[in-house]
């Protein structure tokens, strides 16, 4: 058995770490995110270049109604040339914004809904090999339609569609390869696991700390 295959005698938890960076330079500066190149010192002492996307982070919402249906939005995603079913979601592009407030805003803007009960469902780095993007997925319940006028959409959101689907169908469709959005798949599977195990009381409160994006 190689050293890499030896049993790990420590907690099953991701831990902060930072290897030495001897050089950092921008490779591309975009409207929302940048690409940077870091020269990182490897365990053998040599430096290797690692390119990655610097991302502001994002939030997403699994909005679950009293019939165990999930409120989803469908929109065009140009990089993958698909219309995808997704969770209401958005960027953390306001420095220092409370992610819960951002999630509540996105639920209103994309689905014209509000929720009376909020929990943290799961946190993830969706593409940790190529981006520092962090996503917090919330569970929202006690849903109601928002008052007042609808948010004035633009861009891809002008063609946004909103619908509700049973959580069980979302999970089965994801496992069948019919749904591909990362936050949707991760959130639906996480919620299904929670409901089958310890129940919603096991979830963290909505204001739980988030070291990846402190607020």
């Amino acid at each position: 058995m190689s050293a890499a295959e030896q049993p790990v005698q420590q907690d099953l938890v991701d831990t902060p770490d930072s290897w030495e960076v001897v050089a950092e330079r921008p490779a591309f500066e975009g409207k929302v995110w940048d690409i940077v190149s870091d020269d990182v010192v490897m365990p053998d002492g040599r430096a290797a270049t690692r390119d990655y996307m610097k991302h502001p982070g994002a939030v997403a919402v699994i909005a679950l109604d009293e019939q165990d249906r999930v409120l989803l939005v469908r929109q065009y995603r140009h990089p993958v040339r698909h219309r995808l079913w997704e969770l209401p979601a958005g960027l953390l592009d306001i420095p220092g914004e409370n992610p819960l407030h951002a999630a509540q805003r996105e639920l209103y803007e994309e689905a014209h809904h509000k929720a009376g009960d909020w929990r943290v469902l799961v946190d993830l780095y969706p593409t940790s090999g190529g981006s520092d993007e962090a996503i917090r997925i919330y569970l929202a319940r006690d849903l109601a339609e928002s008052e007042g006028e609808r948010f004035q959409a633009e861009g891809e959101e002008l063609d946004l569609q909103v619908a509700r689907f049973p959580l069980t169908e979302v999970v089965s469709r994801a496992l069948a390869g019919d749904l591909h959005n990362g936050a949707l798949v991760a959130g639906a599977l996480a919620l299904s696991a929670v409901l089958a195990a310890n129940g919603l009381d096991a979830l963290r409160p909505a204001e739980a700390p988030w070291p990846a994006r402190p607020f």
Side-chain angles (χ1 to χ4, degrees), residues 1 6 15 59 69 97 101 116 131 163 172 214:
M1 181 180 292
Q6 294 295 331
T15 55
V59 291
R69 297 178 302 174
E97 182 179 19
H101 298 167
S131 173
S172 63

Side-chain angles (χ1 to χ4, degrees), residues 5-187:
E5 296 173 324
Q6 294 295 331
V8 178
Q9 301 299 320
Q10 59 184 21
D11 291 338
L12 180 62
V13 58
D14 295 334
T15 55
D17 196 0
S18 183
W19 291 3
E20 181 184 1
V21 177
V22 296
E24 178 180 337
R25 54 199 174 275
F28 169 80
E29 295 182 357
K31 180 180 179 180
V32 177
W33 45 68
D34 302 331
I35 303 297
V36 299
S37 295
D38 285 357
D39 294 338
V40 185
V41 178
M42 298 289 116
D44 63 2
R46 294 183 293 180
T49 301
R50 295 291 179 265
D51 301 325
Y52 66 97
M53 176 193 294
K54 291 186 70 69
H55 194 286
V59 291
V61 184
I62 282 225
L64 187 71
D65 68 15
E66 66 282 354
Q67 299 178 46
D68 285 342
R69 297 178 302 174
V70 179
L71 192 156
L72 301 182
V73 298
R74 184 174 184 253
Q75 62 180 314
Y76 175 67
R77 291 303 191 181
H78 187 69
V80 296
R81 307 302 201 273
H82 270 69
R83 291 180 184 268
L84 299 180
W85 286 106
E86 303 180 352
L87 304 177
L91 297 171
L92 292 171
D93 48 7
I94 301 176
E97 182 179 19
N98 186 314
L100 173 60
H101 298 167
Q104 292 169 334
R105 181 185 67 243
E106 295 301 330
L107 183 61
Y108 157 69
E109 290 183 357
E110 295 194 352
H112 198 64
H113 272 70
K114 60 184 178 179
D117 184 81
W118 290 82
R119 316 279 180 94
V120 174
L121 181 59
V122 67
D123 299 328
L124 62 150
Y125 294 117
T127 52
S128 56
S131 173
D132 69 349
E133 180 183 10
I135 298 179
R136 168 159 281 189
I137 303 177
Y138 290 91
L139 171 65
R141 297 185 301 157
D142 188 17
L143 303 181
E145 188 169 350
S146 295
E147 298 89 359
E149 296 183 359
R150 291 182 176 273
F151 177 75
Q152 295 300 310
E154 59 183 23
E156 290 89 345
E157 293 181 353
L158 287 169
D159 195 37
L160 199 73
Q161 298 172 328
V162 181
R164 302 189 189 201
F165 297 92
L167 174 62
T168 53
E169 181 180 357
V170 174
V171 170
S172 63
R173 290 283 192 167
L175 295 177
D178 295 328
L179 299 173
H180 304 87
N181 177 262
L184 171 58
V185 172

